[in-house]
């Protein structure tokens, strides 16, 4: 059974391809490489022994996207990861984000319709909840004001798929990821931020390896157990496996509705200082960090209720924060060793 993965050269897409192959699926990828190279697909090949074809196509181009679907009429589903994801960049250039993330989705839906593709899985985000007032958030929690144009593209993307699913046969699943971190345990694939990372875990590992001088903890006077923000960090391989499970669930026609939504988090809130401690423990490295001012736009705390994904998809978030940090660190060290040996 063949699956079309968009954004397959990216962080979560590449890890999901590994899990799909391990579960017997064939995969083709479409990625314009606007935020990637094919390096992670080389890693996927080393891990799985399978060479993945990537169509270097911008999904905002309907003609090129159509040609990919035309050549792959036999796919059983699409997993749509491709999007821009940098929050501050989206604040600075909202139109870039609206165009890239939403025009591409319209084109995907047009092709899914024309080629009668039965199943669609969409990368959504906990950012759709905005500044959630009740914790943990459940799938039925209200979607409050989006805190960035990026988050708005996820709210709108979800709504577009929901409206589409009301009048078409495609079965869709919207997966709301919390904070995906870590890497495949082989050290052959992982997160490859372009330029200076925004996210905590690559910032920690790049500081520890000496690429960055110091980490600033954004805020230490919040009303939390140690004053720093709380997030639900979730291992990227657990996120990856949820996609396989979602597709299997749709293929087995277990879905209750044409468009269903699932939270993907561990259910555990971890503070920034706890994340740093976990990193120091597994790496043996004393991290150079300082307590700094709050980052504008940060929510104080968010974590998932993941009961629905557990019960309906049979999914478990099996990895704890230390193994998330361990694999992220192995990947950073492997990247350095590869540079040194070249
Ligand atoms: P990533 O940047 O590593 O991968 C996204 C890939 O999509 C990149 O390889 C990029 O080149 C490609 N792409 C972007 N626009 C494209 C277009 N118009 N046509 C073709 N390819 C295009 O990001 P990721 O972390 O793997 O995220 C995957 C998805 O998960 C995204 O939709 C993101 O919004 C969502 N998400 C990510 C996180 C996170 O923290 N990483 C959290 C929640 C949701
Ligand atoms: C985590 C915590 C920071 C960097 C973002 C998107 C969200 C989703 C996941 C896509 C926060 C703190 C960070 C640093 C720090 N992505 N931090 N120093 O902001 O929870 O979520 O990624 O959908 O939409 O907004 O993730 O990794 O940036 O921050 O103290 O140098 O680490 O304040 O508390 P965030 P993050």
């Amino acid at each position: 059974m063949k699956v079309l993965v968009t954004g397959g050269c990216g962080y979560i897409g590449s890890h999901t391809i590994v899990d799909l192959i391990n579960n017997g699926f064939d995969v083709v990828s479409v990625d314009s490489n606007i935020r990637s190279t094919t390096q992670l697909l080389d890693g996927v090949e080393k891990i799985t022994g399978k060479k993945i074809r990537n169509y270097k196509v911008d999904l905002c181009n309907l003609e090129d996207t159509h040609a990919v679907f035309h050549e792959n009429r036999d796919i059983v589903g699409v997993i749509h990861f491709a999007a821009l994801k940098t929050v501050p960049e989206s604040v600075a250039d909202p139109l870039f984000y609206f165009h890239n993330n939403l025009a591409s989705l319209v084109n995907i839906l047009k092709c899914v319709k024309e080629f009668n593709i039965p199943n669609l899985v969409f990368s959504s985000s906990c950012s759709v909840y905005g500044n959630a007032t009740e914790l943990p958030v459940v799938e039925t929690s209200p979607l409050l004001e989006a805190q960035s144009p990026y988050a708005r593209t996820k709210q709108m993307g979800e709504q577009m798929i929901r409206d589409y699913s009301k009048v078409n046969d495609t079965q869709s699943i919207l997966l709301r990821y919390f904070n995906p971190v870590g890497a495949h345990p082989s050290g052959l694939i992982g997160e490859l931020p372009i330029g200076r990372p925004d996210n905590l875990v690559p910032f920690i590992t790049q500081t520890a390896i000496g690429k960055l001088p110091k980490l600033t903890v954004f805020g230490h006077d919040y009303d939390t157990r140690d004053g720093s923000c709380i997030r639900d960090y979730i291992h990227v391989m657990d996120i990856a496996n949820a996609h396989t499970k979602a597709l299997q669930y749709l293929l087995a026609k277990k879905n209750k509705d044409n468009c269903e939504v699932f939270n993907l988090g561990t259910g555990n809130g971890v503070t920034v200082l706890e994340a740093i401690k976990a990193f120091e423990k597994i790496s043996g490295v004393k991290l150079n960090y300082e307590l700094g001012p709050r980052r504008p736009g940060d929510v104080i705390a968010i974590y998932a209720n993941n009961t629905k994904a557990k019960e309906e998809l049979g999914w478990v978030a099996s990895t704890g924060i230390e193994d998330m940090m361990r694999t992220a660190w192995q990947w950073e060290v492997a990247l350095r060793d590869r540079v040194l040996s070249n």
Side-chain angles (χ1 to χ4, degrees):
M1 283 192 285
K2 187 159 74 171
V3 185
L4 181 71
V5 169
T6 77
C9 299
Y11 173 44
I12 306 174
S14 58
H15 288 78
T16 301
I17 294 175
V18 169
D19 196 75
L20 287 166
I21 290 173
N22 287 344
N23 282 284
F25 288 96
D26 287 330
V27 178
V28 283
S29 164
V30 188
D31 195 311
S32 64
N33 294 138
I34 185 173
R35 287 296 147 91
S36 55
T37 63
T38 50
Q39 182 183 338
L40 294 181
L41 288 187
D42 296 340
V44 170
E45 186 179 351
K46 288 196 183 108
I47 295 167
T48 63
K50 293 241 164 116
K51 186 158 187 64
I52 302 301
R53 165 139 198 216
N54 182 59
Y55 292 85
K56 192 170 173 177
V57 159
D58 180 352
L59 295 163
C60 296
N61 181 318
L62 180 58
E63 207 178 310
D64 291 352
T65 305
H66 189 273
V68 175
F69 276 81
H70 194 265
E71 236 182 272
N72 294 279
R73 290 167 167 270
D74 52 340
I75 53 173
V76 296
V78 175
I79 305 184
H80 181 43
F81 292 102
L84 299 170
K85 62 162 183 180
T86 308
V87 170
E89 184 183 46
S90 79
V91 173
D93 195 350
L95 287 182
F96 181 37
Y97 271 65
F98 294 150
H99 180 72
N100 189 75
N101 291 2
L102 298 177
S104 56
L105 178 58
V106 170
N107 288 344
I108 288 286
L109 291 174
K110 281 183 179 167
C111 292
V112 160
K113 182 175 165 72
E114 180 176 337
F115 292 95
N116 287 316
I117 310 300
N119 303 303
L120 173 69
V121 180
F122 176 67
S123 295
S124 188
S125 158
C126 65
S127 61
V128 297
Y129 292 111
N131 270 313
T133 48
E134 47 173 284
L135 290 175
V137 285
V138 280
E139 288 81 356
T140 48
S141 294
L143 304 190
L144 303 178
E145 177 70 15
Q147 296 299 298
S148 68
Y150 165 75
R152 207 176 299 283
T153 67
K154 291 300 176 188
Q155 288 184 341
M156 291 167 78
E158 283 198 0
Q159 201 51 59
M160 283 158 62
I161 295 171
R162 202 167 281 122
D163 287 345
Y164 169 86
S165 302
K166 282 183 191 150
V167 289
N168 289 281
D169 292 331
T170 315
Q171 315 290 309
S172 303
I173 285 187
L174 315 173
L175 295 177
R176 293 180 182 155
Y177 320 153
F178 280 65
N179 287 55
V181 298
H184 189 270
S186 63
L188 291 165
I189 56 173
E191 193 168 2
L192 265 183
I194 296 176
R196 193 182 163 89
D198 290 302
N199 295 115
L200 179 66
V201 174
F203 214 105
I204 289 177
T205 57
Q206 290 198 13
T207 304
I209 208 112
K211 283 187 195 163
L212 295 169
K214 189 187 270 183
L215 172 88
T216 301
V217 174
F218 296 141
H220 52 95
D221 54 357
Y222 286 108
D223 184 16
T224 60
R225 50 189 175 264
D226 60 22
S228 64
C229 290
I230 292 178
R231 296 289 184 275
D232 189 341
Y233 300 96
I234 166 93
H235 197 278
V236 67
M237 286 311 298
D238 285 332
I239 292 269
N241 182 247
H243 292 77
T244 306
K245 290 240 156 58
L247 201 56
Q248 288 167 334
Y249 173 86
L250 291 174
L251 287 165
K253 304 228 174 298
K254 289 186 178 162
N255 50 315
K256 320 270 178 301
D257 193 6
N258 253 11
C259 183
E260 282 193 275
V261 53
F262 294 94
N263 281 342
L264 296 183
T266 62
N268 301 317
V270 171
T271 70
V272 176
L273 292 171
E274 288 164 352
I276 292 173
K277 266 194 210 101
F279 173 78
E280 288 183 327
K281 182 173 167 203
I282 60 85
S283 66
V285 176
K286 180 90 195 72
L287 194 71
N288 187 22
Y289 73 90
E290 65 183 2
L291 303 180
R294 295 179 175 196
R295 180 172 70 175
D298 261 338
V299 301
I300 302 170
I302 187 159
Y303 49 96
N305 175 316
N306 62 10
T307 308
K308 190 175 174 202
K310 275 193 204 151
E311 288 183 352
E312 302 203 12
L313 300 180
W315 173 76
V316 255
S318 57
T319 314
I321 188 73
E322 288 185 7
D323 279 329
M324 296 183 209
M325 290 297 180
R326 186 173 290 112
T327 53
W329 181 232
Q330 281 165 353
W331 166 243
E332 191 69 64
V333 170
L335 278 177
R336 178 193 59 193
D337 293 350
R338 231 164 281 156
V339 170
L340 291 178
S341 68
N342 280 337

